[in-house]
Amino acid sequence: MSARASSTRRFSFAAGHRYWVDAWSAAENERVFGRLTVPHGHNYTLEVTVHGRIDEATGMVIDLGELKRVVGETVVERFDHADLNADPLFRGRVPTTENLAVSIWDLLEPKLGADRLRRVRLWEDPTLYVDYHGG
């Protein structure tokens, strides 16, 4: 029986957004979101954790080069230096860190597999992160 483990790789990207609900008045948006209604940006740090059996030949849960390629092509290239409000994933949704973490999971799950993807941790800044474990 082979051992199971989790591996986590860290990525970074910079993106801008603002919090705004179109159905609300400007006053209501400002009351709920305050200064976050003004466009601003973050240097996000993304941690992607995969889980599975340790391959007996390679000694790894996943080829880390493959994980880097998948996350780079699927997430980093899409969001780096992007306006999150303009991305179709956020039509009708506020691009909060929580919603961004869910969207990243939804982009990665088909590529990494529901059985392997364990956690998405998204750091908005050094004091705030969101963990998402799927569905």
Side-chain angles (χ1 to χ4, degrees):
M1 177 163 70
S2 63
R4 298 179 67 78
S6 295
S7 293
T8 302
R9 183 144 194 168
R10 187 174 289 157
F11 305 86
S12 61
F13 61 93
H17 65 170
R18 77 179 190 137
Y19 290 5
W20 192 268
V21 176
D22 288 335
W24 296 354
S25 68
E28 182 69 3
N29 274 287
E30 289 175 17
R31 184 188 70 73
V32 173
F33 299 125
R35 62 185 185 89
L36 298 176
T37 61
V38 176
H40 62 282
H42 298 284
N43 293 315
Y44 291 97
T45 299
L46 170 64
E47 297 175 9
V48 177
T49 301
V50 293
H51 183 80
R53 295 198 184 283
I54 299 172
D55 183 276
E56 291 183 23
T58 66
M60 297 184 289
V61 171
I62 189 170
D63 176 334
L64 294 176
E66 178 68 5
L67 181 60
K68 181 179 179 181
R69 183 191 66 75
V70 167
V71 176
E73 291 175 359
T74 307
V75 177
V76 176
E77 288 180 15
R78 180 175 189 149
F79 294 131
D80 194 29
H81 293 89
D83 174 359
L84 297 176
N85 296 87
D87 191 289
L89 288 172
F90 296 104
R91 244 181 232 124
R93 288 180 22 181
V94 180
T96 61
T97 305
E98 293 87 344
N99 281 336
L100 183 54
V102 171
S103 295
I104 290 169
W105 178 282
D106 291 344
L107 290 168
L108 291 176
E109 186 180 42
K111 304 213 179 262
L112 297 174
D115 58 328
R116 297 184 81 190
L117 187 56
R118 176 57 56 99
R119 183 191 75 192
V120 166
R121 174 173 282 175
L122 184 62
W123 292 85
E124 182 179 282
D125 63 35
T127 67
L128 173 67
Y129 69 84
V130 170
D131 280 341
Y132 186 68
H133 301 273

